[in-house]
């Protein structure tokens, strides 16, 4: 007798992507519809919360219909509904949470609340299973964190950024270079064509903790460019990009290595939007060669950005752990991991 498949309908609307997905048994993508708003925010140089919320309202039901059709399923086939309820932009989150609650109520389905950052970790599940204990290096536009996972659905933040996240710094220096939001991919490409000649600061790299800080790097970069403009000096943008990226990668890699020495784990997970950065991926692969007993699991490039498939994967694990919300579930824009290990 065939095991009945378990289908999770997942919603993601934490920032500037509206996404709905159908995930089978926590690791198979039947559909993953993403409506991006990048073009709407480019002219502002970043995400405008009110604009994002309006786009989510316009797109969420369309994405829902497309996701069900693409997966070839109906509401009667679903096992549960998962949704990002934080962290993120409160207005944007509320759209996804409201849509998920409507579907869960109307079709008498369990409602599974998912931390957006847990979703980024579980994006790697579509490559192969997670092995515990594990360490996740999460690098995105809004967050830079080192998370220790002792078991499924157990998260402990052991290090985080004290100011700007790495991805945020990329976008901010991108504006100075005249690069449209989001700037990360283009800066990464430029960095491979330049050299680290500016030797920007590596904040906190030698401190006895696993925290990060990228605000000083961002300021040093901007001050260097502004000073050159004032004295009429022309700086090579490729060298600027390479110097900036080398500083970011050095700090991320060193903190990760320090954490691996303190926390014996079987797997390192690299995830988040900045995990698509080729310079970072190359460096992490190189550093892991010194840790024979630690395997590297990187989220697939197409799932590094925000998407509902990753929320479905994390939601499935949470559901199996007995996590469930009622219809009072609300958006939590400042949500952090609560350690249950």
């Amino acid at each position: 007798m065939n095991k009945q498949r378990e289908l999770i309908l997942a919603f993601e609307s934490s920032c500037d992507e509206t996404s709905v997905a159908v995930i089978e048994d926590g690791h198979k993508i039947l559909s993953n519809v993403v409506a991006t708003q990048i073009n709407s925010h480019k002219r502002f140089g970043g995400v405008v919360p009110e604009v994002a919320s309006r786009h989510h309202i316009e797109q969420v039901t369309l994405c829902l219909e497309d996701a069900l059709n693409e997966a070839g399923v109906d509401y009667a086939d679903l096992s549960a509904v998962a949704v990002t309820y934080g962290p993120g932009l409160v207005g944007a989150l509320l759209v996804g949470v409201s849509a998920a609650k409507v579907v869960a109520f109307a079709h008498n389905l369990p409602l599974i609340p998912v931390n957006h950052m847990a979703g980024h970790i579980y994006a790697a599940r579509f490559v192969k299973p997670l092995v515990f204990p594990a360490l996740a290096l999460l690098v995105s536009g809004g967050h830079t964190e080192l998370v220790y996972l002792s078991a499924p659905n157990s998260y402990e933040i052991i290090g985080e950024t004290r100011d700007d996240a790495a991805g945020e710094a990329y976008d901010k220096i991108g504006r100075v270079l005249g690069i449209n939001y989001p700037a990360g991919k283009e800066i990464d490409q430029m960095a491979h064509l330049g050299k680290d000649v500016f030797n920007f600061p590596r904040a906190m790299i030698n401190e006895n903790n696993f925290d990060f800080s990228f605000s000083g790097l961002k300021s040093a970069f901007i001050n260097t460019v502004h000073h050159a403009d004032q004295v009429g000096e022309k700086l090579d943008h490729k060298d600027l990009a390479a110097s900036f990226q080398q500083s970011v990668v050095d700090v991320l890699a060193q903190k990760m290595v320090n954490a691996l020495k303190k926390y014996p784990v079987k797997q390192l997970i690299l995830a988040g939007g900045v995990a698509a950065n080729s310079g970072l991926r190359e460096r992490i692969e190189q550093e892991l060669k010194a840790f024979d007993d630690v395997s590297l699991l990187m989220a697939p490039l197409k799932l590094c950005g925000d998407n509902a498939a990753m929320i479905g994967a994390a939601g499935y694990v949470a559901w199996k752990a007995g996590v469930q919300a009622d219809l009072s579930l609300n958006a939590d824009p400042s949500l952090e991991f609560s350690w249950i290990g």
Side-chain angles (χ1 to χ4, degrees):
M1 183 176 179
N2 290 333
K3 171 183 172 288
Q4 184 178 1
R5 61 182 185 166
E6 295 175 314
L7 303 182
I8 303 283
L9 176 69
F11 290 84
E12 156 60 32
S13 66
S14 64
C15 192
D16 60 345
E17 266 90 24
T18 313
S19 183
V20 183
V22 179
I23 304 303
E24 181 178 342
D25 297 334
H27 62 85
K28 182 178 180 182
I29 299 175
L30 300 187
S31 63
N32 186 31
V33 177
V34 181
T36 185
Q37 307 172 9
I38 286 177
N39 288 334
S40 295
H41 298 285
K42 269 184 179 178
R43 56 193 167 129
F44 302 111
V47 178
V48 179
E50 177 64 20
V51 173
S53 300
R54 290 176 182 271
H55 277 293
H56 287 307
I57 292 169
E58 294 169 359
Q59 294 291 334
V60 69
T61 53
L62 300 175
C63 290
L64 171 57
E65 183 178 0
D66 288 348
L68 292 172
N69 288 338
E70 187 178 319
V73 302
D74 202 351
Y75 291 108
D77 302 312
L78 300 175
S79 305
V81 181
V83 62
T84 301
Y85 75 110
L89 304 174
V90 64
L93 289 164
L94 280 169
V95 177
V97 169
S98 299
K101 289 200 290 189
V102 167
V103 174
F105 174 75
H107 301 281
N108 195 29
L109 292 166
L111 179 65
I112 316 302
V114 178
N115 185 310
H116 178 76
M117 303 312 293
H120 275 304
I121 292 173
Y122 273 90
R125 175 63 185 90
F126 295 108
V127 178
K128 59 184 179 182
L130 275 60
V131 181
F132 302 95
L135 180 72
L137 175 58
L138 287 177
V139 197
S140 70
H143 297 80
T144 303
E145 299 173 345
L146 277 164
V147 183
Y148 177 70
L149 297 86
S150 60
N153 206 48
S154 173
Y155 310 95
E156 179 191 2
I157 295 179
I158 61 171
E160 59 189 331
T161 185
R162 297 186 181 179
D163 39 59
D164 287 359
E168 189 179 1
Y170 269 92
D171 288 333
K172 287 179 178 178
I173 69 113
R175 292 181 208 170
V176 178
L177 295 178
I179 299 171
N180 285 332
Y181 166 87
K185 184 176 182 179
E186 190 169 341
I187 291 173
D188 182 24
Q189 293 169 342
M190 291 169 60
H192 281 75
L193 302 174
K195 297 178 180 178
D196 178 13
V197 297
F198 292 98
N199 194 29
F200 289 128
R202 273 77 166 156
M204 300 179 67
I205 194 169
N206 294 318
E207 291 192 13
N208 188 28
N209 58 52
F210 306 120
D211 287 344
F212 307 91
S213 171
F214 296 104
S215 180
L217 167 62
K218 172 202 68 182
S219 297
F221 183 99
I222 293 172
N223 291 339
T224 298
V225 175
H226 284 176
H227 176 73
D229 289 343
Q230 289 169 353
V231 300
E233 182 182 357
K234 187 172 179 59
L235 302 180
D236 189 311
H237 282 198
K238 294 188 291 294
D239 287 344
L240 282 167
S243 301
F244 172 83
Q245 179 152 302
Q246 191 63 56
S247 175
V248 172
V249 169
D250 282 352
V251 171
L252 291 173
Q254 187 60 56
K255 294 286 185 172
M256 177 211 72
V257 167
N258 294 347
L260 287 175
K261 289 177 180 177
K262 182 173 181 179
Y263 290 83
V265 298
K266 296 179 180 177
Q267 193 174 65
L268 175 77
I269 302 160
L270 178 63
V274 184
N277 183 285
S278 61
L280 178 60
R281 292 170 90 93
E282 291 162 7
R283 176 65 173 275
I284 296 301
E285 287 178 331
Q286 185 66 32
E287 295 288 354
L288 256 289
K289 291 179 180 177
F291 297 86
D292 295 335
D293 51 350
V294 180
S295 65
L296 176 60
L297 180 56
M298 295 191 284
L301 289 174
K302 64 180 180 179
L303 297 179
C304 283
D306 295 348
N307 66 90
M310 69 184 195
I311 303 304
Y316 180 83
V317 174
W319 179 45
K320 289 301 181 181
V323 176
Q324 192 170 331
D326 58 28
L327 295 179
S328 67
L329 179 68
N330 201 357
D332 186 347
S334 301
L335 179 68
E336 294 187 358
F337 281 125
S338 55
W339 185 31
I340 54 175

